[in-house]
Amino acid sequence: KQVRVEPGQTTYKPDFGFLVAYGQRKFKVAGGVKPSGEPSVLRRSAAWLKDLLTKTKHDYAVIIAPFISREGAAICRDVGVGFIDLSGNCLLSLEGLYIERTGYPNKFKKPREIQSLFSPKSSRVIRCLLSDPGRVWTLKGLATETGVSIGLIHRIATALENNLFAKKELRAFKLEDPARLLEAWREEYSRRAPKWARYVVRIGSIEDLVAKLKATAIHHGVRYALSGPSGASLISQYMTPTMVHFYVDVLKQEFLEELKADRVPSEGNLLIRVVEQENEFIGSREVKDVYVVSDLQLYLDLWAMGGRGQEAAEELRRERLQF
C-alpha cells in the first residue's frame, strides 16, 4: 500500500532503502542496483545484502537489475533476498506477503549489430581502437593498421556510431565512450570465448612451470604468451596465480610429452588455448623474460574467469587501461 524511499544512514549502506507498508505491517527494505543480472554478479550481491541485514535495521533486501533469469531468481531465493528487474520479473517474500513473477523475456538483449562488432575479424579493429582510445582514425589508416578490408571498417564505424561508441566525421572517426565499448566487449567475449584445455604438470611451483613452459616452447618452435593471473602477476600483484593460462599458435604432441602434461577434465595447473587468428597475440610483449598478452587481452581473460578474476580485471583496468 505504501512505499517510501529512505536514504541510507550507516557505514554498511545499501544503494537505497524504502519502507513497505502492508496492512498493519511495515518492512524496512534495503536495495542494491546492479548493471547486470548475471549469476556471478547476483551471488556476490545477494551475499553482501544478506550480510548487510545483520548489520543494519533493515528487514529485507532486494536486487534491482535490467534482467534476472530463472537461474538468477533461484540464487536470490536460496540466499533469501528478493529482486525486481526491468523486464517484468520480481520476487518479494515478506511475512504475510509473497509476490513472484518469472518467465518474462530479457528486454535488454544486445542487438545483433553490437554482437557482430566482436566477431573474430571485427574484434581486431576494436582491439586496435581500444589500444589508443584517444586517436582519430581514418578508415583507410585503420584498414592498413589491422589488415581488415575498408568495406568492413566502414560497417564497423557505422555500427560504433549507431550505438554511441564513436563519432564519425567524413572519412575519420574517434571513440566517444571507450569504457562502455570495453564493457560490451567483455560480456560478449565471456559468452563466446572457447574453453581452455586443462592439464596437470607435476612440478614444484608456478614459477617453475612458467620457466619450463618457456623453455619447451622455444625448443619446439611454439609461439606462446601468458595470460590470466599468471600473466597479470608479472605486471602487478593483482592475485596470486595457482595455474598458468598459456596461449600457443600450435599444440604439438611432442611439446606436451616433454612437459609430461596429463589432460584432465577439470582443475589442473596448466590451461592451454590454441590461437586461431592470432588476435590474442596482438600487442603481446616480453615481461621479465616471458611473453605476456596485451593488457586488453589480460583484462578480457581475467574478466571471463568471474569471481576474483573480475576483481583483478578491474584493478588492471584502473592501473593500466585507465578508461
Side-chain angles (χ1 to χ4, degrees), residues 178-239:
R180 192 166 62 87
L181 179 60
L182 176 65
E183 289 160 9
W185 188 14
R186 77 187 183 192
E187 302 306 326
E188 190 64 17
Y189 181 85
S190 297
R191 187 184 68 83
R192 70 163 72 201
K195 292 184 178 180
W196 296 86
R198 293 177 176 269
Y199 297 85
V200 168
V201 178
R202 290 162 181 81
I203 198 166
S205 66
I206 292 297
E207 291 77 13
D208 293 338
L209 177 55
V210 169
K212 186 171 184 179
L213 283 165
K214 174 188 173 182
T216 308
I218 292 172
H219 180 227
H220 292 283
V222 174
R223 186 182 180 186
Y224 77 91
L226 294 180
S227 190
S230 55
S233 68
L234 296 174
I235 296 172
S236 182
Q237 292 299 320
Y238 302 112
M239 58 191 299

Side-chain angles (χ1 to χ4, degrees), residues 290-311:
V290 180
Y291 281 100
V292 179
V293 296
S294 68
D295 289 340
L296 275 173
Q297 188 62 45
L298 271 177
Y299 178 84
L300 293 172
D301 286 330
L302 287 168
W303 185 268
M305 291 175 62
R308 292 196 61 209
Q310 292 184 355
E311 295 174 9

Side-chain angles (χ1 to χ4, degrees), residues 47-112:
W48 185 85
L49 283 169
K50 190 68 174 179
D51 182 62
L52 180 140
L53 296 181
T54 67
K55 298 179 172 67
T56 66
K57 295 181 179 180
H58 292 91
D59 304 301
Y60 192 61
V62 296
I63 296 173
I64 310 294
F67 174 72
I68 294 178
S69 65
R70 291 185 185 276
E71 180 185 0
I75 291 170
C76 292
R77 190 181 299 108
D78 290 345
V79 175
V81 302
F83 69 85
I84 301 170
D85 75 19
L86 304 184
S87 297
N89 303 289
C90 69
L91 171 66
L92 294 173
S93 182
L94 298 161
E95 187 176 344
L97 175 65
Y98 186 87
I99 302 173
E100 181 173 6
R101 283 164 50 106
T102 57
Y104 288 83
N106 187 357
K107 293 181 179 179
F108 300 89
K109 284 185 177 179
K110 299 180 182 68
R112 183 167 296 180

Side-chain angles (χ1 to χ4, degrees), residues 45 61 78 81 179 191 251 285 320:
S45 301
D78 290 345
V81 302
R191 187 184 68 83
L251 188 56
R285 60 274 155 92
R320 308 276 297 187

